[in-house]
Amino acid sequence: MAEAKPKTSPKAIKFLFGGLAGMGATVFVQPLDLVKNRMQLSGQGTKAREYKTSFHALFSILKNEGVGGIYTGLSAGLLRQATYTTTRLGIYTILFEKMTGEDGRPPNFFLKVGSPPIHLESRKRLHQRRRLINNYVRRITSQSQSGCVPTMARAVVVNAAQLASYSQSKQALLDSGYFGDDILCHFCASMISGLVTTAASMPVDIVKTRIQNMRMIDGKPEYKNGLEVLFRVVGSEGFFSLWKGFTPYYARLGPHTVLTFIFLEQMNRLYKTYVLDR
């Protein structure tokens, strides 16, 4: 008689847990995300920088805007997690289970990386919905529209790097025999994932940030496209300026990745313990 297929959570639960994990992580790391954005805009187009270091930026925000200032944009961050992360983690979890072999062996690295085109399509749909809402309240401008392409490009890079590197790192740690499927393993795998994702996505992220905050000069946008942003940043600020703000970016993305996957893994474990195995 064929062995019974292991029980798995409903698709709706996968999406729900994905969104809750992302939202929970955002509450903790929003201040670091704000510092990262301020650092990327600091000294835009010139050698001079408004903030010398990430700590300088943080203390300046606290001094000039108060404690509440470091949580500027929290509601938007939570909304993003409730839509974007719900979709990407829900879809990834479903696909991961479908591609797992009958012997329980996870899919190989290239299959894991191959998921981002689906995330890109989901990102396009989410962006279209946001554009409709913004049109309705008359807050959309040509600048926000021009930021669509770099936003989606960043989404592809982040998803490919973050989700694939986490799954691969977790699998490698478990195969080493030194780790069990517990919080320590999830923590180490997500820290590796955060580092890989930071290095891969920062150049795309700075392009996105510059385009979304660009000025209109003589009735024309400051940048024509993302490639122009890259060339101008490298030319005027140096090659390594593409990773300007690396510390707050990793300090934000690292903990966010850690918390997201730990929250997700723990919710899945509790659901399995108290619902599926009962």
Side-chain angles (χ1 to χ4, degrees), residues 35 38-39 51-62:
V35 170
R38 296 288 179 91
M39 284 292 295
Y51 305 114
K52 297 178 181 178
T53 66
S54 303
F55 292 106
H56 181 216
L58 177 61
F59 290 136
S60 296
I61 294 170
L62 287 172

Side-chain angles (χ1 to χ4, degrees), residues 90-161:
I91 291 176
Y92 186 79
T93 304
I94 292 171
L95 291 179
F96 188 88
E97 287 186 356
K98 286 185 178 296
M99 288 187 278
T100 298
E102 294 183 0
D103 59 352
R105 187 69 180 175
N108 62 48
F109 179 74
F110 296 103
L111 284 176
K112 294 169 186 172
V113 175
S115 299
I118 296 175
H119 299 307
L120 172 59
E121 184 61 32
S122 301
R123 191 73 177 96
K124 286 180 180 178
R125 294 195 185 110
L126 291 173
H127 183 77
Q128 290 170 355
R129 293 173 190 169
R130 290 172 185 166
R131 286 181 61 184
L132 290 174
I133 295 173
N134 288 338
N135 275 323
Y136 179 75
V137 297
R138 297 182 179 180
R139 295 180 59 188
I140 195 167
T141 64
S142 59
Q143 288 178 255
S144 63
Q145 292 176 12
S146 64
C148 174
V149 174
T151 298
M152 290 189 294
R154 179 186 179 277
V156 172
V157 173
V158 168
N159 280 300

Side-chain angles (χ1 to χ4, degrees), residues 174-192:
L174 292 174
D175 290 345
S176 72
Y178 294 104
F179 292 85
D181 193 0
D182 51 24
I183 290 183
L184 178 60
C185 176
H186 305 156
F187 174 81
C188 293
S190 53
M191 284 299 290
I192 296 171

Side-chain angles (χ1 to χ4, degrees), residues 12 43 54 57 59-60 74 87 105-106 122 202 216 256 259 269-270:
S54 303
F59 290 136
S60 296
L74 177 61
T87 303
R105 187 69 180 175
S122 301
M202 274 212 73
M216 298 297 290
H256 192 278
L259 292 172
R269 183 183 66 81
L270 291 173

Side-chain angles (χ1 to χ4, degrees), residues 21 25-26 28-30 32-33 36 88 154 158 162 165-166 186-199 201-202 245-263:
T26 295
F28 289 94
V29 302
Q30 175 63 25
L32 298 172
D33 194 39
K36 181 266 295 183
R88 74 187 185 98
R154 179 186 179 277
V158 168
Q162 185 184 62
S165 62
Y166 174 78
H186 305 156
F187 174 81
C188 293
S190 53
M191 284 299 290
I192 296 171
S193 174
L195 185 61
V196 171
T197 307
T198 298
S201 66
M202 274 212 73
F246 184 93
T247 301
Y249 191 100
Y250 180 65
R252 181 262 181 195
L253 188 61
H256 192 278
T257 302
V258 169
L259 292 172
T260 297
F261 284 118
I262 284 181
F263 289 160

